[in-house]
Amino acid sequence: MATKLTKVVVLVSALSGVFGSKLSPRLSTCCEEISNTYPSVTFFPKDTPGNYTRSTSSYYSGQENDLKPTCVFRPQTTSDVSGVVDMLHRRTVNKLRECPFAIRGGGHTPYAGAANVDGGLTIDLSDLNQVTVSKDKQVTSVGGGARWENVYSVLGEVGLAITGGRVDPVGVGGLTTGGGFSFFSAQQGFVCDNVLNYELIVANGSVLNVNTTSNPDLTIALRGGSNNFGIVTRFDFSTFPQGGLWGGDIIYPFEETYAETVKAFTDLGGDKNYDPSAAMYPLFVYINGSTVVSTNLIYTQPKAYPEVFRAFTDIQPQYSNTLRFGNLTNFTNIPTVNAQVSRRNAYMTTTWLNDLETSRFAAQVWNQSAIKLNNITGLSYALDFQMVPPAISNKSAARGGNSLGIDPSKGTIVIALLQASWENANDDECVRGALGDTIGAFESRAKTRGRYVEFKYLNYADKGQDVMRGYGEESLERLQRVSKMYDPAGLFQGGNSGDFKVFPKGPGEYSDG
């Protein structure tokens, strides 16, 4: 989602839970063991600097780029992944935990340690990026290291689409296992709900096909459970014909239009006859000392100015308007995405039931926090509202269910994303503190109004936010049962870098029953 901020920045400009251990002899042995078996795809900083830095310096955020693994393993096949996971599992069973590892797909999550590790093993899946369409054009198989740009470049040539991400440089794996929003979500549900089959490497190195018929418990777990259960090396997505779309961005001045924009957004979220072809989000942006509103509108049919968007297209004044006809590649391809790469980046999120007063308050508080941060060098700072109407959340059950725990009977929920990008590491603490204070203010108001929802959307969450508990007690207990069943030694709980574990304290929690 931070790449959506990049789009707006370009338009407007015209106007350690991480494993920070030092290298140990056993860790050296870990990387050496992998290198001995897979010498052509295991890279070290000294003897293979180009291949090593290809992985370690290409993360979205500077915080991830700062981390330096002992070695990088870049598998070429499912068998490669299986072999290394088996080796890690054997070391875990034998109590050799000096081999912390990270799993990288697209590398877009910004907090340090999400997909990289300091002084450990980084498994970089980026070469597993194949995209193939079945002969009957019903299924698209996508490698676990692919990005959405890999997918749409293939599908666009044959007039097909899948329910996939909205920004093409983002990785398929992370977005999908975290839930995933799509332009097609009101028609098809979350991205994860549209995976027909997962090829999954579980903790003992076994390769499983996971679907609603075979291993259905794992299917639900992978739909929102992130990398708690293994490494997905292939996703098989339901596929459908797709022609042209209509949409783009409208940029407005903040003070004159934010209240009207929030009302239009809230009214749309409350529409019981929600148009399933409509997808939109408002984005409030601070850049170069100015604040603006950006509304991204996408209609998945080739129809200009549909009635569902009238309240947004009528708002005046407008700084710019890029509404047009295009295709999926056009609307997800952002040429200037690299403007944010390697800068300091952060996300933070919370959720409330659709409510005009709470959302309007959030926009006001965000604006005040942006003003307080105006001395941060190179700051881009945004608040994004993502609605989840029942038209999205009610699709899951018919597809086998997911782990997100969103109850469509409660009505539309609003997911707020704070995203910030800045230049200097010295400002990390200040910016992150401001984001935390702002989220706290949002939640306080939502609770006062009885609208607070505990759900935290994983793909927008910051390290330390309790994503799994936000799925609800029933979902969390199911995820924990699945973890114990397929990973009894706790490889992906204690050895895998990153946050959002189903057992946050590691495998030691297993004894709690």
Side-chain angles (χ1 to χ4, degrees), residues 313-336:
T313 57
D314 282 353
I315 294 175
Q316 297 292 336
Q318 297 179 6
Y319 284 151
S320 65
N321 181 322
T322 66
L323 297 173
R324 65 204 186 276
F325 290 103
N327 57 36
L328 192 56
T329 301
N330 300 148
F331 288 118
T332 59
N333 180 19
I334 305 173
T336 55

Side-chain angles (χ1 to χ4, degrees), residues 200-211:
L200 178 71
I201 315 301
V202 292
N204 66 4
S206 297
V207 182
L208 302 182
N209 279 295
V210 178
N211 51 63

Side-chain angles (χ1 to χ4, degrees), residues 129-190:
N129 59 8
Q130 72 279 3
V131 179
T132 58
V133 181
S134 64
K135 290 183 179 180
D136 64 3
K137 299 184 178 181
Q138 299 296 304
V139 179
T140 300
S141 297
V142 181
R147 299 171 185 259
W148 294 107
E149 58 194 351
N150 303 125
V151 178
Y152 298 143
S153 65
V154 172
L155 296 183
E157 294 293 323
V158 291
L160 298 174
I162 63 176
T163 303
R166 298 172 293 186
V167 181
D168 67 7
V170 170
V172 171
L175 182 135
T176 304
T177 58
F181 288 105
S182 171
F183 295 144
F184 304 104
S185 283
Q187 300 167 29
Q188 309 290 345
F190 290 99

Side-chain angles (χ1 to χ4, degrees), residues 439-460:
I439 287 290
F442 294 174
E443 292 183 345
S444 178
R445 179 56 63 96
K447 289 175 181 178
T448 298
R449 292 186 54 78
R451 309 299 285 173
Y452 176 69
V453 177
E454 193 174 3
F455 176 80
K456 302 287 189 298
Y457 179 48
L458 188 149
N459 292 334
Y460 295 171

Side-chain angles (χ1 to χ4, degrees), residues 188-198 210-224 238 392-406 474-475 478-479 482:
Q188 309 290 345
F190 290 99
V191 173
C192 66
D193 295 328
N194 291 271
V195 180
L196 302 174
N197 183 75
Y198 303 80
V210 178
N211 51 63
T212 55
T213 302
S214 175
N215 305 297
D217 50 352
L218 264 175
T219 299
I220 295 175
L222 290 171
R223 292 176 173 177
S238 178
I392 294 176
S393 54
N394 67 13
K395 301 295 191 300
S396 175
R399 291 166 166 80
N402 63 41
S403 293
L404 303 178
I406 299 174
E474 180 181 350
S475 182
R478 182 176 58 244
L479 291 169
V482 173

Side-chain angles (χ1 to χ4, degrees), residues 347-406:
Y347 298 169
M348 205 169 289
T349 189
T350 194
T351 308
W352 55 83
L353 293 170
N354 191 35
D355 179 60
L356 176 61
E357 201 281 336
T358 302
S359 297
R360 186 176 291 167
F361 172 83
Q364 294 167 341
V365 169
W366 166 82
N367 186 46
Q368 294 166 7
S369 70
I371 294 171
K372 293 177 182 178
L373 289 171
N374 64 2
N375 63 331
I376 300 298
T377 303
L379 179 71
S380 300
Y381 181 36
L383 167 65
D384 175 11
F385 289 160
Q386 171 66 62
M387 72 172 70
V388 186
I392 294 176
S393 54
N394 67 13
K395 301 295 191 300
S396 175
R399 291 166 166 80
N402 63 41
S403 293
L404 303 178
I406 299 174

